[in-house]
DNA sequence: CGTGGCAACGATAATGATTGTCAAAAACGC
DNA sequence: GCGTTTTTGACAATCATTATCGTTGCCACG
């Protein structure tokens, strides 16, 4: 039990989940992803999918969204901090960056003496295709 | 059967929930509120608490927050649209208004052709008292 | 004041996503 | 290769929320 704590091992399952996320567009639930892996013939347990997704989320490699409705949705996103504009009807998602919002949030929090600030922001709407 | 569709009836339970929310500070889960009503001797079913809270939320009279962790939290808030700055440690909450954010969200959504726009924003941090 | 329709209530069961458990399997360092 | 340690994965447990459905109480009208 040295202090090396390498910890993260490279397993087939982890690669499979990561690879799948790399190909997917849009958000998908853990159970969705699990079903897709199964269809591909990958042998992965649901528990492992959840664990892997949590790990990736902690590492900042994927984004998590909690839409009203209960399921957590995961997506591989561009690296930096950003937010999402999601269509209520079809789920089409656009990544949006809002530096002004970031700084506003930090400023507001600082004014109230809050430290170690983070925030979540989701925008919902109906996309052009679904409006008609 | 006129077109009035009054619909909303004035019941003891609805008043109790609304009154309780009026006295409470901060956010509370549906189950919390239900337990409190029970302690007071009010005879209210858990189902009704959920229904009432949803109704109030739809009517815009209370705010709903979905913190990471699963429970929905409800709170009576000031009327207009606003957001919350929440302490991770003690839960202390500050209401913040950000007109700039609202217009930014609308603008971004409009740029992408999205209609009927809404958004959710929560800011998390550690409040001054908990920093020490 | 009495009555009937209809929405609200509420106990219980159902749902369904997520998390915990723990023995067995696989991966990494040597 | 070998041992150790992490990881896996099937299953059960948890737990908030939602659906169900017979009963109750509100409200309006006669």
């Amino acid at each position: 039990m040295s202090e090396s704590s390498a910890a993260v091992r490279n397993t087939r399952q982890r690669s499979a989940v990561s690879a799948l996320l790399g190909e997917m567009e849009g958000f998908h639930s853990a159970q969705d992803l699990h079903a897709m892996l199964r269809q591909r013939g990958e042998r992965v347990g649901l528990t492992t999918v959840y664990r892997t997704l949590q790990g990736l989320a902690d590492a900042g490699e994927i984004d998590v969204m909690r839409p009203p409705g209960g399921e957590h949705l995961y997506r591989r996103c561009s690296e930096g901090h950003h937010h999402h504009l999601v269509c209520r009807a079809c789920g089409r998602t656009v990544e949006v960056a809002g530096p002004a919002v970031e700084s506003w949030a930090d400023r507001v929090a600082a004014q109230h003496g809050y430290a170690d600030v983070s925030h979540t922001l989701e925008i919902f709407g109906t996309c052009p295709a679904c409006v008609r």
PDB file of all heavy atoms in Angstrom, chain C residues 16-29:
ATOM      1  P    DG C  16     -41.617   2.209 -15.367  1.00  0.00           P
ATOM      2  OP1  DG C  16     -42.222   2.781 -16.563  1.00  0.00           O
ATOM      3  OP2  DG C  16     -41.334   0.755 -15.288  1.00  0.00           O
ATOM      4  O5'  DG C  16     -40.263   2.975 -15.086  1.00  0.00           O
ATOM      5  C5'  DG C  16     -40.280   4.197 -14.367  1.00  0.00           C
ATOM      6  C4'  DG C  16     -38.905   4.449 -13.768  1.00  0.00           C
ATOM      7  O4'  DG C  16     -38.912   4.102 -12.362  1.00  0.00           O
ATOM      8  C3'  DG C  16     -37.794   3.591 -14.394  1.00  0.00           C
ATOM      9  O3'  DG C  16     -36.656   4.401 -14.577  1.00  0.00           O
ATOM     10  C2'  DG C  16     -37.533   2.530 -13.357  1.00  0.00           C
ATOM     11  C1'  DG C  16     -37.768   3.323 -12.091  1.00  0.00           C
ATOM     12  N9   DG C  16     -38.027   2.507 -10.925  1.00  0.00           N
ATOM     13  C8   DG C  16     -38.535   1.232 -10.891  1.00  0.00           C
ATOM     14  N7   DG C  16     -38.638   0.741  -9.680  1.00  0.00           N
ATOM     15  C5   DG C  16     -38.170   1.760  -8.869  1.00  0.00           C
ATOM     16  C6   DG C  16     -38.031   1.818  -7.464  1.00  0.00           C
ATOM     17  O6   DG C  16     -38.312   0.949  -6.634  1.00  0.00           O
ATOM     18  N1   DG C  16     -37.514   3.035  -7.045  1.00  0.00           N
ATOM     19  C2   DG C  16     -37.158   4.064  -7.882  1.00  0.00           C
ATOM     20  N2   DG C  16     -36.672   5.164  -7.304  1.00  0.00           N
ATOM     21  N3   DG C  16     -37.282   4.032  -9.193  1.00  0.00           N
ATOM     22  C4   DG C  16     -37.789   2.850  -9.621  1.00  0.00           C
ATOM     23  P    DA C  17     -35.609   4.035 -15.744  1.00  0.00           P
ATOM     24  OP1  DA C  17     -36.119   4.516 -17.028  1.00  0.00           O
ATOM     25  OP2  DA C  17     -35.240   2.621 -15.573  1.00  0.00           O
ATOM     26  O5'  DA C  17     -34.380   4.934 -15.308  1.00  0.00           O
ATOM     27  C5'  DA C  17     -34.615   6.277 -14.952  1.00  0.00           C
ATOM     28  C4'  DA C  17     -33.929   6.582 -13.631  1.00  0.00           C
ATOM     29  O4'  DA C  17     -34.453   5.736 -12.590  1.00  0.00           O
ATOM     30  C3'  DA C  17     -32.420   6.350 -13.669  1.00  0.00           C
ATOM     31  O3'  DA C  17     -31.765   7.506 -13.209  1.00  0.00           O
ATOM     32  C2'  DA C  17     -32.210   5.173 -12.717  1.00  0.00           C
ATOM     33  C1'  DA C  17     -33.395   5.293 -11.778  1.00  0.00           C
ATOM     34  N9   DA C  17     -33.817   4.041 -11.161  1.00  0.00           N
ATOM     35  C8   DA C  17     -34.274   2.918 -11.790  1.00  0.00           C
ATOM     36  N7   DA C  17     -34.601   1.938 -10.983  1.00  0.00           N
ATOM     37  C5   DA C  17     -34.335   2.449  -9.728  1.00  0.00           C
ATOM     38  C6   DA C  17     -34.468   1.905  -8.442  1.00  0.00           C
ATOM     39  N6   DA C  17     -34.928   0.666  -8.204  1.00  0.00           N
ATOM     40  N1   DA C  17     -34.120   2.675  -7.402  1.00  0.00           N
ATOM     41  C2   DA C  17     -33.667   3.910  -7.633  1.00  0.00           C
ATOM     42  N3   DA C  17     -33.499   4.542  -8.793  1.00  0.00           N
ATOM     43  C4   DA C  17     -33.856   3.740  -9.816  1.00  0.00           C
ATOM     44  P    DT C  18     -30.252   7.731 -13.522  1.00  0.00           P
ATOM     45  OP1  DT C  18     -30.050   9.174 -13.634  1.00  0.00           O
ATOM     46  OP2  DT C  18     -29.871   6.828 -14.623  1.00  0.00           O
ATOM     47  O5'  DT C  18     -29.536   7.231 -12.189  1.00  0.00           O
ATOM     48  C5'  DT C  18     -29.686   8.011 -11.019  1.00  0.00           C
ATOM     49  C4'  DT C  18     -29.376   7.187  -9.786  1.00  0.00           C
ATOM     50  O4'  DT C  18     -30.128   5.960  -9.783  1.00  0.00           O
ATOM     51  C3'  DT C  18     -27.911   6.763  -9.627  1.00  0.00           C
ATOM     52  O3'  DT C  18     -27.353   7.509  -8.567  1.00  0.00           O
ATOM     53  C2'  DT C  18     -27.979   5.265  -9.307  1.00  0.00           C
ATOM     54  C1'  DT C  18     -29.445   5.049  -8.981  1.00  0.00           C
ATOM     55  N1   DT C  18     -29.985   3.700  -9.255  1.00  0.00           N
ATOM     56  C2   DT C  18     -30.265   2.888  -8.187  1.00  0.00           C
ATOM     57  O2   DT C  18     -30.098   3.216  -7.027  1.00  0.00           O
ATOM     58  N3   DT C  18     -30.782   1.644  -8.527  1.00  0.00           N
ATOM     59  C4   DT C  18     -31.030   1.169  -9.797  1.00  0.00           C
ATOM     60  O4   DT C  18     -31.493   0.052  -9.970  1.00  0.00           O
ATOM     61  C5   DT C  18     -30.700   2.079 -10.868  1.00  0.00           C
ATOM     62  C7   DT C  18     -30.918   1.661 -12.284  1.00  0.00           C
ATOM     63  C6   DT C  18     -30.203   3.286 -10.545  1.00  0.00           C
ATOM     64  P    DT C  19     -25.840   7.313  -8.235  1.00  0.00           P
ATOM     65  OP1  DT C  19     -25.366   8.580  -7.672  1.00  0.00           O
ATOM     66  OP2  DT C  19     -25.184   6.715  -9.392  1.00  0.00           O
ATOM     67  O5'  DT C  19     -25.877   6.214  -7.074  1.00  0.00           O
ATOM     68  C5'  DT C  19     -26.720   6.428  -5.951  1.00  0.00           C
ATOM     69  C4'  DT C  19     -26.565   5.290  -4.949  1.00  0.00           C
ATOM     70  O4'  DT C  19     -27.250   4.110  -5.427  1.00  0.00           O
ATOM     71  C3'  DT C  19     -25.118   4.872  -4.690  1.00  0.00           C
ATOM     72  O3'  DT C  19     -24.938   4.734  -3.283  1.00  0.00           O
ATOM     73  C2'  DT C  19     -24.997   3.544  -5.425  1.00  0.00           C
ATOM     74  C1'  DT C  19     -26.407   2.990  -5.328  1.00  0.00           C
ATOM     75  N1   DT C  19     -26.798   2.061  -6.424  1.00  0.00           N
ATOM     76  C2   DT C  19     -27.381   0.858  -6.079  1.00  0.00           C
ATOM     77  O2   DT C  19     -27.582   0.518  -4.935  1.00  0.00           O
ATOM     78  N3   DT C  19     -27.743   0.081  -7.153  1.00  0.00           N
ATOM     79  C4   DT C  19     -27.574   0.366  -8.492  1.00  0.00           C
ATOM     80  O4   DT C  19     -27.941  -0.412  -9.362  1.00  0.00           O
ATOM     81  C5   DT C  19     -26.945   1.633  -8.766  1.00  0.00           C
ATOM     82  C7   DT C  19     -26.713   2.048 -10.184  1.00  0.00           C
ATOM     83  C6   DT C  19     -26.602   2.416  -7.735  1.00  0.00           C
ATOM     84  P    DG C  20     -23.567   4.267  -2.689  1.00  0.00           P
ATOM     85  OP1  DG C  20     -23.309   5.103  -1.499  1.00  0.00           O
ATOM     86  OP2  DG C  20     -22.572   4.222  -3.793  1.00  0.00           O
ATOM     87  O5'  DG C  20     -23.851   2.768  -2.213  1.00  0.00           O
ATOM     88  C5'  DG C  20     -24.874   2.547  -1.249  1.00  0.00           C
ATOM     89  C4'  DG C  20     -24.928   1.077  -0.846  1.00  0.00           C
ATOM     90  O4'  DG C  20     -25.432   0.292  -1.954  1.00  0.00           O
ATOM     91  C3'  DG C  20     -23.583   0.466  -0.458  1.00  0.00           C
ATOM     92  O3'  DG C  20     -23.768  -0.369   0.674  1.00  0.00           O
ATOM     93  C2'  DG C  20     -23.182  -0.335  -1.698  1.00  0.00           C
ATOM     94  C1'  DG C  20     -24.524  -0.739  -2.287  1.00  0.00           C
ATOM     95  N9   DG C  20     -24.542  -0.853  -3.744  1.00  0.00           N
ATOM     96  C8   DG C  20     -24.143   0.094  -4.643  1.00  0.00           C
ATOM     97  N7   DG C  20     -24.307  -0.274  -5.888  1.00  0.00           N
ATOM     98  C5   DG C  20     -24.839  -1.551  -5.797  1.00  0.00           C
ATOM     99  C6   DG C  20     -25.224  -2.457  -6.809  1.00  0.00           C
ATOM    100  O6   DG C  20     -25.181  -2.317  -8.029  1.00  0.00           O
ATOM    101  N1   DG C  20     -25.711  -3.648  -6.287  1.00  0.00           N
ATOM    102  C2   DG C  20     -25.818  -3.932  -4.945  1.00  0.00           C
ATOM    103  N2   DG C  20     -26.310  -5.123  -4.638  1.00  0.00           N
ATOM    104  N3   DG C  20     -25.466  -3.086  -3.986  1.00  0.00           N
ATOM    105  C4   DG C  20     -24.984  -1.922  -4.482  1.00  0.00           C
ATOM    106  P    DT C  21     -22.516  -1.107   1.313  1.00  0.00           P
ATOM    107  OP1  DT C  21     -22.816  -1.197   2.748  1.00  0.00           O
ATOM    108  OP2  DT C  21     -21.269  -0.469   0.838  1.00  0.00           O
ATOM    109  O5'  DT C  21     -22.610  -2.565   0.669  1.00  0.00           O
ATOM    110  C5'  DT C  21     -23.887  -3.186   0.554  1.00  0.00           C
ATOM    111  C4'  DT C  21     -23.717  -4.641   0.114  1.00  0.00           C
ATOM    112  O4'  DT C  21     -23.847  -4.712  -1.333  1.00  0.00           O
ATOM    113  C3'  DT C  21     -22.366  -5.265   0.456  1.00  0.00           C
ATOM    114  O3'  DT C  21     -22.569  -6.607   0.870  1.00  0.00           O
ATOM    115  C2'  DT C  21     -21.616  -5.208  -0.861  1.00  0.00           C
ATOM    116  C1'  DT C  21     -22.744  -5.406  -1.865  1.00  0.00           C
ATOM    117  N1   DT C  21     -22.505  -4.852  -3.218  1.00  0.00           N
ATOM    118  C2   DT C  21     -22.859  -5.604  -4.311  1.00  0.00           C
ATOM    119  O2   DT C  21     -23.362  -6.703  -4.230  1.00  0.00           O
ATOM    120  N3   DT C  21     -22.622  -4.999  -5.518  1.00  0.00           N
ATOM    121  C4   DT C  21     -22.057  -3.761  -5.729  1.00  0.00           C
ATOM    122  O4   DT C  21     -21.886  -3.327  -6.867  1.00  0.00           O
ATOM    123  C5   DT C  21     -21.693  -3.040  -4.532  1.00  0.00           C
ATOM    124  C7   DT C  21     -21.071  -1.685  -4.656  1.00  0.00           C
ATOM    125  C6   DT C  21     -21.934  -3.605  -3.354  1.00  0.00           C
ATOM    126  P    DC C  22     -21.502  -7.266   1.882  1.00  0.00           P
ATOM    127  OP1  DC C  22     -22.303  -7.926   2.934  1.00  0.00           O
ATOM    128  OP2  DC C  22     -20.475  -6.272   2.239  1.00  0.00           O
ATOM    129  O5'  DC C  22     -20.822  -8.390   0.990  1.00  0.00           O
ATOM    130  C5'  DC C  22     -21.661  -9.222   0.179  1.00  0.00           C
ATOM    131  C4'  DC C  22     -20.852  -9.862  -0.933  1.00  0.00           C
ATOM    132  O4'  DC C  22     -20.764  -8.950  -2.055  1.00  0.00           O
ATOM    133  C3'  DC C  22     -19.401 -10.200  -0.548  1.00  0.00           C
ATOM    134  O3'  DC C  22     -19.065 -11.452  -1.124  1.00  0.00           O
ATOM    135  C2'  DC C  22     -18.601  -9.084  -1.207  1.00  0.00           C
ATOM    136  C1'  DC C  22     -19.415  -8.899  -2.485  1.00  0.00           C
ATOM    137  N1   DC C  22     -19.199  -7.615  -3.178  1.00  0.00           N
ATOM    138  C2   DC C  22     -19.510  -7.524  -4.545  1.00  0.00           C
ATOM    139  O2   DC C  22     -19.958  -8.510  -5.120  1.00  0.00           O
ATOM    140  N3   DC C  22     -19.302  -6.344  -5.181  1.00  0.00           N
ATOM    141  C4   DC C  22     -18.811  -5.290  -4.511  1.00  0.00           C
ATOM    142  N4   DC C  22     -18.636  -4.168  -5.189  1.00  0.00           N
ATOM    143  C5   DC C  22     -18.491  -5.369  -3.124  1.00  0.00           C
ATOM    144  C6   DC C  22     -18.704  -6.537  -2.508  1.00  0.00           C
ATOM    145  P    DA C  23     -18.166 -12.471  -0.250  1.00  0.00           P
ATOM    146  OP1  DA C  23     -19.036 -13.017   0.807  1.00  0.00           O
ATOM    147  OP2  DA C  23     -16.888 -11.829   0.109  1.00  0.00           O
ATOM    148  O5'  DA C  23     -17.874 -13.616  -1.311  1.00  0.00           O
ATOM    149  C5'  DA C  23     -18.973 -14.273  -1.953  1.00  0.00           C
ATOM    150  C4'  DA C  23     -18.730 -14.364  -3.456  1.00  0.00           C
ATOM    151  O4'  DA C  23     -18.622 -13.022  -4.000  1.00  0.00           O
ATOM    152  C3'  DA C  23     -17.427 -15.087  -3.835  1.00  0.00           C
ATOM    153  O3'  DA C  23     -17.672 -15.902  -4.971  1.00  0.00           O
ATOM    154  C2'  DA C  23     -16.480 -13.946  -4.171  1.00  0.00           C
ATOM    155  C1'  DA C  23     -17.435 -12.917  -4.761  1.00  0.00           C
ATOM    156  N9   DA C  23     -16.977 -11.532  -4.650  1.00  0.00           N
ATOM    157  C8   DA C  23     -16.459 -10.907  -3.548  1.00  0.00           C
ATOM    158  N7   DA C  23     -16.141  -9.650  -3.746  1.00  0.00           N
ATOM    159  C5   DA C  23     -16.470  -9.430  -5.069  1.00  0.00           C
ATOM    160  C6   DA C  23     -16.383  -8.291  -5.892  1.00  0.00           C
ATOM    161  N6   DA C  23     -15.908  -7.119  -5.472  1.00  0.00           N
ATOM    162  N1   DA C  23     -16.801  -8.403  -7.167  1.00  0.00           N
ATOM    163  C2   DA C  23     -17.275  -9.577  -7.590  1.00  0.00           C
ATOM    164  N3   DA C  23     -17.412 -10.729  -6.913  1.00  0.00           N
ATOM    165  C4   DA C  23     -16.989 -10.583  -5.645  1.00  0.00           C
ATOM    166  P    DA C  24     -16.561 -16.926  -5.473  1.00  0.00           P
ATOM    167  OP1  DA C  24     -17.213 -18.239  -5.692  1.00  0.00           O
ATOM    168  OP2  DA C  24     -15.374 -16.806  -4.605  1.00  0.00           O
ATOM    169  O5'  DA C  24     -16.202 -16.320  -6.902  1.00  0.00           O
ATOM    170  C5'  DA C  24     -17.258 -16.108  -7.853  1.00  0.00           C
ATOM    171  C4'  DA C  24     -16.708 -15.359  -9.058  1.00  0.00           C
ATOM    172  O4'  DA C  24     -16.389 -14.005  -8.676  1.00  0.00           O
ATOM    173  C3'  DA C  24     -15.432 -15.957  -9.644  1.00  0.00           C
ATOM    174  O3'  DA C  24     -15.513 -15.916 -11.072  1.00  0.00           O
ATOM    175  C2'  DA C  24     -14.339 -15.042  -9.122  1.00  0.00           C
ATOM    176  C1'  DA C  24     -15.061 -13.703  -9.063  1.00  0.00           C
ATOM    177  N9   DA C  24     -14.523 -12.765  -8.087  1.00  0.00           N
ATOM    178  C8   DA C  24     -14.189 -12.999  -6.786  1.00  0.00           C
ATOM    179  N7   DA C  24     -13.738 -11.947  -6.136  1.00  0.00           N
ATOM    180  C5   DA C  24     -13.776 -10.941  -7.086  1.00  0.00           C
ATOM    181  C6   DA C  24     -13.434  -9.566  -7.045  1.00  0.00           C
ATOM    182  N6   DA C  24     -12.956  -8.976  -5.942  1.00  0.00           N
ATOM    183  N1   DA C  24     -13.600  -8.842  -8.162  1.00  0.00           N
ATOM    184  C2   DA C  24     -14.081  -9.451  -9.262  1.00  0.00           C
ATOM    185  N3   DA C  24     -14.446 -10.725  -9.430  1.00  0.00           N
ATOM    186  C4   DA C  24     -14.262 -11.420  -8.289  1.00  0.00           C
ATOM    187  P    DA C  25     -14.346 -16.534 -11.958  1.00  0.00           P
ATOM    188  OP1  DA C  25     -14.969 -17.403 -12.979  1.00  0.00           O
ATOM    189  OP2  DA C  25     -13.293 -17.050 -11.072  1.00  0.00           O
ATOM    190  O5'  DA C  25     -13.789 -15.227 -12.688  1.00  0.00           O
ATOM    191  C5'  DA C  25     -14.697 -14.353 -13.357  1.00  0.00           C
ATOM    192  C4'  DA C  25     -13.959 -13.140 -13.901  1.00  0.00           C
ATOM    193  O4'  DA C  25     -13.562 -12.272 -12.811  1.00  0.00           O
ATOM    194  C3'  DA C  25     -12.683 -13.485 -14.677  1.00  0.00           C
ATOM    195  O3'  DA C  25     -12.616 -12.673 -15.839  1.00  0.00           O
ATOM    196  C2'  DA C  25     -11.566 -13.138 -13.688  1.00  0.00           C
ATOM    197  C1'  DA C  25     -12.178 -11.994 -12.889  1.00  0.00           C
ATOM    198  N9   DA C  25     -11.691 -11.878 -11.515  1.00  0.00           N
ATOM    199  C8   DA C  25     -11.560 -12.871 -10.585  1.00  0.00           C
ATOM    200  N7   DA C  25     -11.109 -12.447  -9.424  1.00  0.00           N
ATOM    201  C5   DA C  25     -10.933 -11.084  -9.609  1.00  0.00           C
ATOM    202  C6   DA C  25     -10.477 -10.066  -8.742  1.00  0.00           C
ATOM    203  N6   DA C  25     -10.104 -10.279  -7.487  1.00  0.00           N
ATOM    204  N1   DA C  25     -10.429  -8.810  -9.241  1.00  0.00           N
ATOM    205  C2   DA C  25     -10.808  -8.596 -10.504  1.00  0.00           C
ATOM    206  N3   DA C  25     -11.260  -9.480 -11.408  1.00  0.00           N
ATOM    207  C4   DA C  25     -11.297 -10.715 -10.890  1.00  0.00           C
ATOM    208  P    DA C  26     -11.529 -12.947 -16.962  1.00  0.00           P
ATOM    209  OP1  DA C  26     -12.211 -13.031 -18.274  1.00  0.00           O
ATOM    210  OP2  DA C  26     -10.636 -14.022 -16.498  1.00  0.00           O
ATOM    211  O5'  DA C  26     -10.738 -11.570 -16.900  1.00  0.00           O
ATOM    212  C5'  DA C  26     -11.470 -10.357 -16.933  1.00  0.00           C
ATOM    213  C4'  DA C  26     -10.572  -9.192 -16.557  1.00  0.00           C
ATOM    214  O4'  DA C  26     -10.245  -9.245 -15.142  1.00  0.00           O
ATOM    215  C3'  DA C  26      -9.235  -9.179 -17.302  1.00  0.00           C
ATOM    216  O3'  DA C  26      -8.945  -7.853 -17.693  1.00  0.00           O
ATOM    217  C2'  DA C  26      -8.244  -9.685 -16.265  1.00  0.00           C
ATOM    218  C1'  DA C  26      -8.846  -9.137 -14.978  1.00  0.00           C
ATOM    219  N9   DA C  26      -8.508  -9.870 -13.766  1.00  0.00           N
ATOM    220  C8   DA C  26      -8.526 -11.219 -13.567  1.00  0.00           C
ATOM    221  N7   DA C  26      -8.187 -11.586 -12.349  1.00  0.00           N
ATOM    222  C5   DA C  26      -7.918 -10.395 -11.708  1.00  0.00           C
ATOM    223  C6   DA C  26      -7.499 -10.096 -10.395  1.00  0.00           C
ATOM    224  N6   DA C  26      -7.279 -11.021  -9.467  1.00  0.00           N
ATOM    225  N1   DA C  26      -7.326  -8.805 -10.072  1.00  0.00           N
ATOM    226  C2   DA C  26      -7.550  -7.873 -11.002  1.00  0.00           C
ATOM    227  N3   DA C  26      -7.952  -8.031 -12.275  1.00  0.00           N
ATOM    228  C4   DA C  26      -8.113  -9.325 -12.556  1.00  0.00           C
ATOM    229  P    DA C  27      -7.893  -7.541 -18.794  1.00  0.00           P
ATOM    230  OP1  DA C  27      -8.556  -6.775 -19.869  1.00  0.00           O
ATOM    231  OP2  DA C  27      -7.157  -8.787 -19.079  1.00  0.00           O
ATOM    232  O5'  DA C  27      -6.936  -6.559 -17.990  1.00  0.00           O
ATOM    233  C5'  DA C  27      -7.516  -5.435 -17.313  1.00  0.00           C
ATOM    234  C4'  DA C  27      -6.472  -4.738 -16.454  1.00  0.00           C
ATOM    235  O4'  DA C  27      -6.261  -5.490 -15.229  1.00  0.00           O
ATOM    236  C3'  DA C  27      -5.098  -4.606 -17.113  1.00  0.00           C
ATOM    237  O3'  DA C  27      -4.542  -3.355 -16.756  1.00  0.00           O
ATOM    238  C2'  DA C  27      -4.307  -5.747 -16.512  1.00  0.00           C
ATOM    239  C1'  DA C  27      -4.894  -5.825 -15.111  1.00  0.00           C
ATOM    240  N9   DA C  27      -4.856  -7.147 -14.492  1.00  0.00           N
ATOM    241  C8   DA C  27      -5.154  -8.339 -15.059  1.00  0.00           C
ATOM    242  N7   DA C  27      -5.059  -9.370 -14.252  1.00  0.00           N
ATOM    243  C5   DA C  27      -4.671  -8.803 -13.052  1.00  0.00           C
ATOM    244  C6   DA C  27      -4.387  -9.367 -11.791  1.00  0.00           C
ATOM    245  N6   DA C  27      -4.477 -10.671 -11.522  1.00  0.00           N
ATOM    246  N1   DA C  27      -4.015  -8.533 -10.801  1.00  0.00           N
ATOM    247  C2   DA C  27      -3.937  -7.220 -11.062  1.00  0.00           C
ATOM    248  N3   DA C  27      -4.178  -6.577 -12.222  1.00  0.00           N
ATOM    249  C4   DA C  27      -4.538  -7.443 -13.179  1.00  0.00           C
ATOM    250  P    DC C  28      -3.548  -2.612 -17.662  1.00  0.00           P
ATOM    251  OP1  DC C  28      -4.163  -1.360 -18.126  1.00  0.00           O
ATOM    252  OP2  DC C  28      -3.045  -3.611 -18.635  1.00  0.00           O
ATOM    253  O5'  DC C  28      -2.385  -2.248 -16.653  1.00  0.00           O
ATOM    254  C5'  DC C  28      -2.710  -1.633 -15.398  1.00  0.00           C
ATOM    255  C4'  DC C  28      -1.678  -2.031 -14.347  1.00  0.00           C
ATOM    256  O4'  DC C  28      -1.878  -3.410 -13.980  1.00  0.00           O
ATOM    257  C3'  DC C  28      -0.226  -1.901 -14.822  1.00  0.00           C
ATOM    258  O3'  DC C  28       0.454  -0.953 -14.016  1.00  0.00           O
ATOM    259  C2'  DC C  28       0.340  -3.313 -14.689  1.00  0.00           C
ATOM    260  C1'  DC C  28      -0.611  -3.989 -13.722  1.00  0.00           C
ATOM    261  N1   DC C  28      -0.785  -5.456 -13.919  1.00  0.00           N
ATOM    262  C2   DC C  28      -0.661  -6.316 -12.827  1.00  0.00           C
ATOM    263  O2   DC C  28      -0.393  -5.848 -11.711  1.00  0.00           O
ATOM    264  N3   DC C  28      -0.833  -7.653 -13.008  1.00  0.00           N
ATOM    265  C4   DC C  28      -1.136  -8.127 -14.222  1.00  0.00           C
ATOM    266  N4   DC C  28      -1.303  -9.446 -14.347  1.00  0.00           N
ATOM    267  C5   DC C  28      -1.261  -7.270 -15.341  1.00  0.00           C
ATOM    268  C6   DC C  28      -1.080  -5.959 -15.146  1.00  0.00           C
ATOM    269  P    DG C  29       1.930  -0.531 -14.375  1.00  0.00           P
ATOM    270  OP1  DG C  29       2.022   0.935 -14.170  1.00  0.00           O
ATOM    271  OP2  DG C  29       2.274  -1.118 -15.686  1.00  0.00           O
ATOM    272  O5'  DG C  29       2.785  -1.270 -13.253  1.00  0.00           O
ATOM    273  C5'  DG C  29       2.430  -1.102 -11.874  1.00  0.00           C
ATOM    274  C4'  DG C  29       3.327  -1.953 -10.984  1.00  0.00           C
ATOM    275  O4'  DG C  29       2.968  -3.355 -11.124  1.00  0.00           O
ATOM    276  C3'  DG C  29       4.820  -1.866 -11.310  1.00  0.00           C
ATOM    277  O3'  DG C  29       5.576  -1.881 -10.098  1.00  0.00           O
ATOM    278  C2'  DG C  29       5.083  -3.098 -12.157  1.00  0.00           C
ATOM    279  C1'  DG C  29       4.083  -4.108 -11.595  1.00  0.00           C
ATOM    280  N9   DG C  29       3.575  -5.057 -12.577  1.00  0.00           N
ATOM    281  C8   DG C  29       3.210  -4.794 -13.877  1.00  0.00           C
ATOM    282  N7   DG C  29       2.775  -5.850 -14.514  1.00  0.00           N
ATOM    283  C5   DG C  29       2.858  -6.877 -13.580  1.00  0.00           C
ATOM    284  C6   DG C  29       2.530  -8.246 -13.704  1.00  0.00           C
ATOM    285  O6   DG C  29       2.078  -8.846 -14.670  1.00  0.00           O
ATOM    286  N1   DG C  29       2.769  -8.940 -12.517  1.00  0.00           N
ATOM    287  C2   DG C  29       3.258  -8.366 -11.360  1.00  0.00           C
ATOM    288  N2   DG C  29       3.418  -9.177 -10.331  1.00  0.00           N
ATOM    289  N3   DG C  29       3.579  -7.083 -11.237  1.00  0.00           N
ATOM    290  C4   DG C  29       3.355  -6.405 -12.386  1.00  0.00           C
TER     291       DG C  29
END
